[in-house]
């Protein structure tokens, strides 16, 4: 009986680990807010916030290691390998804006929401040229994407607040400062950067000062 109890005690943490791993899928991945690590979850991820880390194993096929935990008596993070994660999932449910290929008035972040509107963070923008994005077989974000978020270009000037493209450009679901390989449909020329939000009109000038009062007429002789 004692032996059976000991085996059960040993098995319980292992079963808990299996249960936690089974609950991890692509919905746990958000490259816009999580940090990619260079190595294993147990060695590179912060154990106080394991679920904020991931590691691409094969971005082309969507294979990724998602960190979680610590589980049971463990003090380190654990990694679960998940297959088939797509760009749509990794954009965390955000709606794609097609930038240069989009409909007029629905191309850029600032056209969809304001600086303080929570809806601002519900979008991401394709940055490729129109002909690239509309090419047959185009893979989302292979020409580069950016997520939308509140942005203030001058901390001392509230008029510079807008909903804009923020963070690093990511390619084919891999967030990075630059693509590691050329996109499948490379544009013949570098696409123009997304336009800045329109500036608010300048304030009206103050009204002119009234003319000084006329001098009184000279006294009669």
């Amino acid at each position: 009986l004692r032996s059976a109890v000991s085996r059960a005690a040993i098995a319980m943490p292992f079963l808990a680990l299996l249960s936690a791993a089974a609950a991890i899928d692509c919905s746990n991945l958000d490259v816009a807010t999580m940090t990619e690590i260079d190595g294993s979850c147990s060695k590179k991820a912060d154990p106080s916030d394991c679920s904020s880390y991931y590691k691409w194993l094969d971005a082309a096929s969507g294979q990724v290691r998602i960190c979680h935990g610590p589980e049971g008596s463990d003090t380190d993070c654990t990694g679960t390998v998940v297959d088939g994660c797509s760009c749509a999932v990794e954009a965390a449910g955000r709606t794609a804006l097609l930038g240069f290929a989009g409909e007029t008035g629905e191309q850029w972040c600032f056209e969809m929401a304001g600086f303080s509107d929570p809806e601002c963070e519900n979008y991401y923008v394709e940055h490729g040229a129109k002909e690239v994005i509309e090419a047959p077989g185009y893979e989302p974000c292979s020409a580069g994407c950016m997520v939308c978020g509140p942005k203030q270009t001058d901390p001392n000037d509230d008029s510079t607040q807008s909903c804009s493209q923020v963070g690093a450009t990511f390619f084919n679901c891999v967030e990075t400062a630059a693509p590691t390989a050329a996109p499948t449909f490379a544009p013949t020329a570098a696409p123009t950067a997304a336009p800045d939000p329109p500036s608010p009109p300048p304030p009206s000038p103050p009204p002119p000062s009234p003319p000084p009062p006329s001098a009184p007429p000279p006294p009669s002789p």
Side-chain angles (χ1 to χ4, degrees):
L1 178 59
R2 182 177 302 171
S3 177
V5 171
S6 298
R7 286 196 299 270
I10 294 172
M12 286 179 65
F14 179 70
L15 293 175
L17 182 62
L18 287 179
S19 177
I24 301 297
D25 57 27
C26 292
S27 65
N28 298 101
L29 181 66
D30 177 6
V31 297
T33 61
M34 295 169 66
T35 300
E36 183 171 10
I37 55 176
D38 181 19
S40 66
C41 296
S42 62
K43 295 184 182 300
K44 296 292 186 177
D46 180 357
S48 67
D49 192 16
C50 294
S51 60
S52 292
Y53 299 89
Y54 71 98
K55 169 64 178 174
W56 282 110
L57 302 178
D58 185 352
S61 68
Q63 186 182 70
V64 60
R65 180 186 292 115
I66 301 175
C67 302
H68 56 94
E71 316 291 351
S73 60
D74 289 344
T75 56
D76 295 326
C77 300
T78 301
T80 295
V81 176
V82 180
D83 293 301
C85 292
S86 67
C87 279
V89 172
E90 283 125 36
R94 296 173 188 254
T95 299
L97 302 177
L98 298 182
F100 297 105
E103 297 290 334
T104 301
E106 298 181 355
Q107 296 171 289
W108 312 106
C109 307
F110 68 86
E111 295 174 314
M112 307 305 295
F115 174 81
S116 58
D117 187 346
E119 287 290 315
C120 177
E121 297 184 356
N122 289 348
Y123 300 93
Y124 69 95
V125 183
E126 288 272 2
H127 273 227
K130 185 177 190 299
E131 60 271 20
V132 173
I133 297 172
E134 293 180 345
Y138 174 75
E139 292 290 336
C141 296
S142 64
C145 287
M146 291 183 73
V147 297
C148 298
K151 182 178 181 180
Q152 182 169 349
T153 55
D154 183 346
N156 300 314
D157 185 357
D158 289 351
S159 69
T160 63
Q161 295 176 341
S162 66
C163 179
S164 185
Q165 291 84 253
V166 296
T169 302
F170 59 94
F171 296 80
N172 281 336
C173 307
V174 182
E175 191 171 7
T176 178
T180 55
T184 305
F185 297 94
T188 54
T192 307
D196 293 327
S199 301
S204 301
S209 303
S214 302
S220 299

